[in-house]
């Protein structure tokens, strides 16, 4: 196994543990008279969840486009995944605004703080993936201008692994969000 693969799998495992312990603390921070019972999930969270779920299907098309040596399609699919990720991030900010307007704020109940913390930590992890997507897009863009660089990009197993790791991490973040969203639906 390549060291980068080991690194990303260890990072996902440790992130998974962080999310597990924070979600456990979130669940146990609920009180019987919590103000969450009076609130509903922000509509922005619902839309952002659908967008992120759709991005998982889009990201699945990156590797087949790469393997068919279609750099243009690889780039456009990766760009669409990035745009969906940015849309998700924007909607998260709108969701936090909706939460604040409904009386759930970061400084109130511990469960409210955990809600912001969990969604915020997820967003930070996703931003890391989006930065990496930009790096990959720049690499593909530079390679498209030069046939030799394009050939190297398309035949180098290391370049393929970089795309595969991006897809694996992106799907991991999708799964984490869907679990968090399910938890938020259960609590709110």
């Amino acid at each position: 196994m390549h060291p980068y693969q080991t690194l990303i799998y260890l990072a996902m495992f440790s992130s998974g543990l962080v999310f597990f312990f924070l979600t456990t603390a979130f669940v146990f921070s609920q009180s019987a008279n919590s103000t969450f019972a009076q609130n509903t999930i922000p509509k922005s969270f619902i839309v952002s969840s659908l967008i992120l779920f759709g991005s998982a299907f889009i990201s699945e098309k990156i590797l087949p486009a790469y393997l068919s040596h279609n750099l243009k399609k690889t780039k456009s699919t990766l760009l669409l995944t990035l745009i969906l990720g940015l849309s998700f991030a924007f909607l998260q900010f709108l969701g936090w605004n909706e939460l604040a307007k409904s009386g759930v704020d970061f400084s109130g109940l511990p469960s409210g703080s955990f809600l912001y913390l969990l969604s915020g930590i997820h967003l930070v992890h996703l931003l890391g993936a989006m930065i990496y997507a930009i790096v990959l897009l720049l690499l593909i863009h530079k390679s498209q201008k030069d046939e030799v660089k394009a050939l190297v990009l398309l035949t180098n197993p290391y370049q393929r692994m970089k795309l595969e790791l991006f897809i694996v991490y992106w799907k991991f973040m999708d799964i984490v969000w869907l679990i968090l969203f399910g938890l938020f639906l259960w609590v709110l």
Side-chain angles (χ1 to χ4, degrees), residues 6-183:
T6 304
L7 183 65
I8 197 73
Y9 292 134
L10 285 174
M12 289 188 318
F13 177 74
S14 61
S15 294
L17 285 177
V18 167
F19 281 110
F20 172 75
F21 289 120
L22 286 174
T23 55
T24 303
F26 175 63
V27 169
F28 286 114
S29 71
Q30 301 301 306
S31 63
N33 58 357
S34 174
T35 59
F36 281 173
Q38 304 162 0
N39 294 310
T40 58
I41 194 86
K43 290 179 181 30
S44 299
F45 277 13
I46 296 168
V47 175
S48 68
S49 298
L50 293 173
I51 286 174
L52 202 61
F53 187 69
S55 76
F57 290 106
I58 299 297
S59 70
E60 187 66 31
K61 296 178 182 182
I62 296 170
L63 195 59
Y66 172 82
L67 293 175
S68 68
H69 295 226
N70 189 343
L71 283 181
K72 184 177 179 181
K73 187 172 182 180
T74 304
K75 183 179 170 183
S76 65
T77 310
L78 187 58
L79 181 61
L80 183 56
T81 303
L82 174 63
I83 290 169
L84 290 172
L86 291 170
S87 301
F88 173 85
F90 175 74
L91 288 166
Q92 289 298 287
F93 285 106
L94 291 179
W96 292 336
N97 191 29
E98 288 179 51
L99 283 171
K101 285 181 182 177
S102 70
V104 179
D105 58 3
F106 193 76
S107 61
L109 294 170
S111 51
S113 299
F114 277 116
L115 186 68
Y116 285 96
L117 184 66
L118 283 166
S119 58
I121 290 174
H122 177 267
L123 187 58
V124 168
H125 281 78
L126 197 63
L127 286 174
M130 289 189 282
I131 291 169
Y132 189 59
I134 292 169
V135 170
L136 291 172
L137 282 168
L138 291 173
L139 177 70
I140 292 169
H141 180 73
K142 288 179 184 178
S143 298
Q144 283 181 308
K145 294 179 179 182
D146 183 357
E147 290 182 20
V148 175
K149 286 183 181 180
L151 180 64
V152 170
L153 177 71
L154 290 169
T155 57
N156 188 342
Y158 174 70
Q159 301 301 338
R160 176 184 174 166
M161 181 195 64
K162 287 172 28 177
L163 282 171
E164 288 172 342
L165 290 178
F166 169 78
I167 295 164
V168 166
Y169 186 74
W170 192 265
K171 287 183 180 176
F172 170 73
M173 294 312 305
D174 288 350
I175 290 167
V176 167
W177 177 253
L178 292 175
I179 291 169
L180 290 175
F181 181 69
L183 179 68

